[in-house]
Amino acid sequence: MSAFSRFTPLVSALPSTVPFVGPEAIERQRGLTVKARIGANENGFGPAPSVLTAMRDAGGDIWKYSDPENHDLKQALAAHLGTSAANIAIGGGIDELLGQIVRMVIEPGAPVVTSLGGYPTFNFHVAGFGGRLVTVPYVNDHEDLDGLRDAVKRENPPLVYFANPDNPMGSWWDADRVVAFARAIPETTLLVLDEAYSETGPASALPSIASLIDLPNVIRTRTFSKAYGLAGARVGYAISTPGTALAFDKIRNHFGMNRMAVAGAIAALKDQDYLLEVVAKIHAARERIAGIADANGLRALPSATNFVAIDAGRDGTHARAIVDGLMQQGIFIRMPGVAPLNRCIRVSVGPAADMDLFEAAFPEVLKSIG
Amino acid sequence: MSAFSRFTPLVSALPSTVPFVGPEAIERQRGLTVKARIGANENGFGPAPSVLTAMRDAGGDIWKYSDPENHDLKQALAAHLGTSAANIAIGGGIDELLGQIVRMVIEPGAPVVTSLGGYPTFNFHVAGFGGRLVTVPYVNDHEDLDGLRDAVKRENPPLVYFANPDNPMGSWWDADRVVAFARAIPETTLLVLDEAYSETGPASALPSIASLIDLPNVIRTRTFSKAYGLAGARVGYAISTPGTALAFDKIRNHFGMNRMAVAGAIAALKDQDYLLEVVAKIHAARERIAGIADANGLRALPSATNFVAIDAGRDGTHARAIVDGLMQQGIFIRMPGVAPLNRCIRVSVGPAADMDLFEAAFPEVLKSIG
């Protein structure tokens, strides 16, 4: 296939692999229809009706570019978080922000510390800017704070990534451990503290904004894609010192935000009652998934997220067979990518109908695999 | 202001200036309210009612990430263009695609050829990846095809940018000239042919898809932001050989598209009758702007876009005074950034109410400036 001959050596050497294959692609490849979409850690409970209304109302102004300063959303977030708008950068979901962060600190060959089996899209961005991944194994299905700190000490990387609560295992550390970890990172290493699941964990797992807001080398990333149910809208934000937040302006796509999405995010922040309702539903669905695991003689790992990792008891091949078998019945789930995490399958929460489908299909699939 | 201390040297050296200041920022800074938003080449006629309906209907699925392969939109574009889906890459507007293109071919210090006074956001991306701009002056308010070709020959750049129809002057070259130019570019230089305004120019200005689709070193960029009235949705696309199109997959944000926006773009392609209506309105509004210029003793430049450059007859200081004077009355327009283009003001088309406001305010502002 004829392609331009002079891409940079870095880009020429990049693989064409993608971080995740979407459920739509699987449907097309395998001629299946997804009946229960519980694999991408989306939130099938959806956004608040007030959010849908706000987005639809914003349609009338869709001919206008969205405010490139994201003024109103920053103000709303600042009020919500009890911080200043200057502490906030806005992006098209955490994925876009991660790409910008990597770009800002990574030159080809630079080491980047993360957990072995951590977020693939972060790794995709690191590869995309030529960084060298230095991975630290999970310990007891938790990201290894001591191991990450030791790797940072050893490698002196410009960047370290840590998610709390964690994806793909759903585990978490309490806030005091997280704050101690962040404060032990040298000021020449930027810590991305990915808090995509901040709303669904125990309050004790979430460091206060004040506890880290003085550190120029810490960026906390959050999203409207998970608890707020707006994955398809693409709104995320970063929290850091004003100086660090301002750096995004040097490279970001200033006119990149969707106007309806921004309206939806602002409305979502206003409807905290709905958020509480959804979080309660997420907690209940987590319990239900754990019960289904138990009923099939398997152990569900404790989760602070909107998904549950179920230890399928064997290896990655076995877990893959379960994922494939469920997909064959229209149940879309995913699984961690590397050992030993890949002994697990990962099931996202969803409404009762999705849980019913999973509950019915899971024992059949397990039985068929043997 | 305390910022992280170890951004890359490239990022550390970048200025904090932005390509454009949004009208919302001007409103906040100056305590004004924009009454006629005719400065950002948006399309105040808006998208088709069918598009608004499609976007609003997609709201119910906004909890799902959009298909990362953009399958349906690519198929719809392929059918519309008479090409293959493999020839198409999707992005969050041309701005995002330009950033990706620059990233794929530019290493620090590499020359990039463009016109002096051409699209600032392209230049922003070039600076962001450390490219060195080599600019070619306009000739008679047209991008200088011979000059661009000579600069490419001299500099052997990995990248050259050319917009047809042009922004900010609204001028254009006929298709045969554009095709000859593209075919004269060596295969080691990637030509970005920016066709943001492809729908609003004369048919004779638009090369057929077939005329350039065999060239791996040509990427044509198009958008739903202009004639389709969806600037706030953020959907653009690139047309190239399959091999070149595939390269975007190495670096793009695969889960980056807004689901409602994609639904809107697909619906927009289906409603070509509406597009024709809007293009007729754009043509009429261009005539009206030209008439207003004439009534004030000024010359409107011929335009193939959704805006009109008016030669204000003096220098950039004078044009700036007009822009500022109009803004003081709530009329938001813009102007080219460099001489001699900046003797002009640039007025976007809009509905009659906007044109009325401009018509009333323009002579007053000219008179007040003297």
Side-chain angles (χ1 to χ4, degrees), chain B:
Chain B
M1 207 159 38
S2 180
F4 178 58
S5 58
R6 199 178 168 189
F7 290 122
T8 66
L10 173 58
V11 167
S12 296
L14 288 175
S16 295
T17 52
V18 301
F20 293 106
V21 178
E24 298 85 356
I26 300 173
E27 286 181 312
R28 289 188 291 268
Q29 286 160 10
R30 296 176 54 170
L32 295 168
T33 299
V34 168
K35 294 176 207 155
R37 186 167 159 131
I38 48 175
N41 301 344
E42 296 159 332
N43 174 358
F45 300 113
S50 62
V51 169
L52 287 174
T53 299
M55 290 196 295
R56 287 166 177 159
D57 288 351
D61 277 344
I62 199 69
W63 61 274
K64 302 176 184 174
Y65 291 106
S66 192
D67 172 20
E69 296 188 345
N70 294 302
H71 175 272
D72 295 350
L73 178 54
K74 281 189 181 181
Q75 291 292 333
L77 281 166
H80 177 69
L81 298 168
T83 184
S84 158
N87 293 108
I88 296 165
I90 305 291
I94 289 176
D95 283 0
E96 183 180 48
L97 292 163
L98 290 177
Q100 292 167 345
I101 292 167
V102 172
R103 176 177 163 192
M104 289 196 285
V105 298
I106 295 305
E107 295 188 295
V112 178
V113 170
T114 187
S115 295
L116 179 62
Y119 191 44
T121 302
F122 176 74
N123 299 353
F124 171 80
H125 289 309
V126 170
F129 289 99
R132 175 173 58 83
L133 282 174
V134 177
T135 55
V136 177
Y138 280 62
V139 172
N140 295 328
D141 299 319
H142 285 64
E143 292 196 63
D144 179 7
L145 289 179
D146 293 340
L148 289 167
R149 195 198 53 216
D150 290 347
V152 167
K153 195 169 176 184
R154 189 178 69 242
E155 298 277 350
N156 184 26
L159 187 59
V160 55
Y161 174 90
F162 167 60
N164 192 63
D166 168 70
N167 177 16
M169 302 311 281
S171 56
W172 70 97
W173 291 104
D174 275 346
D176 56 349
R177 289 294 308 273
V178 174
V179 171
F181 170 72
R183 293 200 166 272
I185 301 293
E187 64 180 18
T188 50
T189 296
L190 182 68
L191 167 65
V192 177
L193 174 56
D194 188 343
E195 300 182 323
Y197 301 97
S198 61
E199 296 88 358
T200 54
S204 62
L206 191 64
S208 70
I209 295 297
S211 66
L212 296 171
I213 199 66
D214 62 307
L215 296 176
N217 68 323
V218 173
I219 298 179
R220 303 169 75 166
T221 54
R222 296 189 182 177
T223 184
F224 289 89
S225 299
K226 304 302 179 184
Y228 287 106
L230 288 170
R234 310 284 60 222
V235 187
Y237 57 103
I239 310 166
S240 65
T241 62
T244 297
L246 200 61
F248 287 90
D249 282 348
K250 294 182 172 189
I251 62 157
R252 71 186 176 90
N253 187 8
H254 288 261
F255 289 83
M257 294 299 292
N258 177 289
R259 196 173 180 98
M260 296 163 90
V262 171
I266 293 170
L269 287 173
K270 282 188 187 144
D271 205 338
Q272 293 293 312
D273 287 345
Y274 181 86
L275 180 70
L276 287 177
E277 282 174 38
V278 165
V279 168
K281 288 179 187 172
I282 289 171
H283 290 176
R286 283 198 317 232
E287 291 305 311
R288 176 133 188 233
I289 295 170
I292 295 168
D294 190 58
N296 287 279
L298 299 176
R299 186 176 70 93
L301 277 58
S303 171
T305 63
N306 72 343
F307 60 85
V308 176
I310 297 174
D311 186 339
R314 287 156 63 178
D315 62 4
T317 305
H318 178 62
R320 172 59 57 201
I322 297 172
V323 170
D324 286 346
L326 285 168
M327 184 68 208
Q328 204 60 36
Q329 298 203 30
I331 320 264
F332 166 63
I333 68 165
R334 284 200 176 121
M335 60 178 283
V338 300
L341 314 183
N342 66 359
R343 72 188 192 284
C344 297
I345 60 170
R346 196 193 68 179
V347 183
S348 306
V349 302
D354 293 347
M355 298 293 97
D356 291 347
L357 287 167
F358 172 63
E359 184 168 39
F362 194 36
E364 291 179 37
V365 169
L366 289 173
K367 190 175 169 191
S368 74
I369 294 170

Side-chain angles (χ1 to χ4, degrees), chain A residues 136 139 143-154 173 177 181:
Chain A
V136 177
V139 172
E143 292 196 63
D144 179 8
L145 289 179
D146 294 340
L148 289 167
R149 194 198 53 216
D150 290 348
V152 166
K153 193 170 178 184
R154 189 177 68 245
W173 291 106
R177 290 294 307 271
F181 171 73

Side-chain angles (χ1 to χ4, degrees), chain A residues 54-79:
Chain A
M55 289 196 296
R56 288 166 176 158
D57 287 351
D61 276 345
I62 199 67
W63 61 274
K64 302 176 184 174
Y65 290 106
S66 192
D67 171 20
E69 296 188 347
N70 294 301
H71 176 272
D72 295 350
L73 178 54
K74 281 189 179 181
Q75 291 292 335
L77 281 165

Side-chain angles (χ1 to χ4, degrees), chain A residues 123-318:
Chain A
N123 300 353
F124 171 80
H125 289 308
V126 170
F129 289 98
R132 175 172 59 83
L133 282 174
V134 177
T135 56
V136 177
Y138 281 62
V139 172
N140 295 327
D141 300 319
H142 284 65
E143 292 196 63
D144 179 8
L145 289 179
D146 294 340
L148 289 167
R149 194 198 53 216
D150 290 348
V152 166
K153 193 170 178 184
R154 189 177 68 245
E155 297 278 350
N156 185 27
L159 187 60
V160 55
Y161 174 90
F162 167 60
N164 192 62
D166 169 69
N167 177 15
M169 303 312 280
S171 58
W172 69 97
W173 291 106
D174 275 345
D176 55 350
R177 290 294 307 271
V178 175
V179 170
F181 171 73
R183 293 201 166 271
I185 300 294
E187 65 180 16
T188 50
T189 296
L190 183 68
L191 167 64
V192 177
L193 175 57
D194 187 344
E195 299 182 322
Y197 302 97
S198 61
E199 296 89 357
T200 55
S204 62
L206 192 64
S208 70
I209 294 297
S211 66
L212 295 171
I213 199 64
D214 62 308
L215 296 176
N217 68 323
V218 174
I219 297 179
R220 304 169 74 165
T221 54
R222 296 189 181 178
T223 184
F224 287 89
S225 299
K226 304 302 179 185
Y228 286 106
L230 288 171
R234 311 283 59 221
V235 188
Y237 57 102
I239 310 165
S240 65
T241 61
T244 297
L246 199 61
F248 288 88
D249 282 347
K250 294 181 172 190
I251 61 158
R252 71 186 176 89
N253 187 7
H254 288 262
F255 288 84
M257 295 299 293
N258 177 289
R259 195 173 180 98
M260 296 163 91
V262 171
I266 292 170
L269 287 174
K270 280 188 190 146
D271 204 338
Q272 293 293 312
D273 287 345
Y274 182 86
L275 180 70
L276 287 176
E277 283 174 36
V278 165
V279 168
K281 288 179 186 173
I282 290 170
H283 290 176
R286 283 197 318 230
E287 291 304 311
R288 176 130 188 236
I289 295 169
I292 295 169
D294 191 58
N296 286 279
L298 299 175
R299 186 176 70 92
L301 276 58
S303 170
T305 62
N306 71 342
F307 61 85
V308 177
I310 297 175
D311 187 338
R314 287 155 66 178
D315 62 3
T317 306
H318 178 62

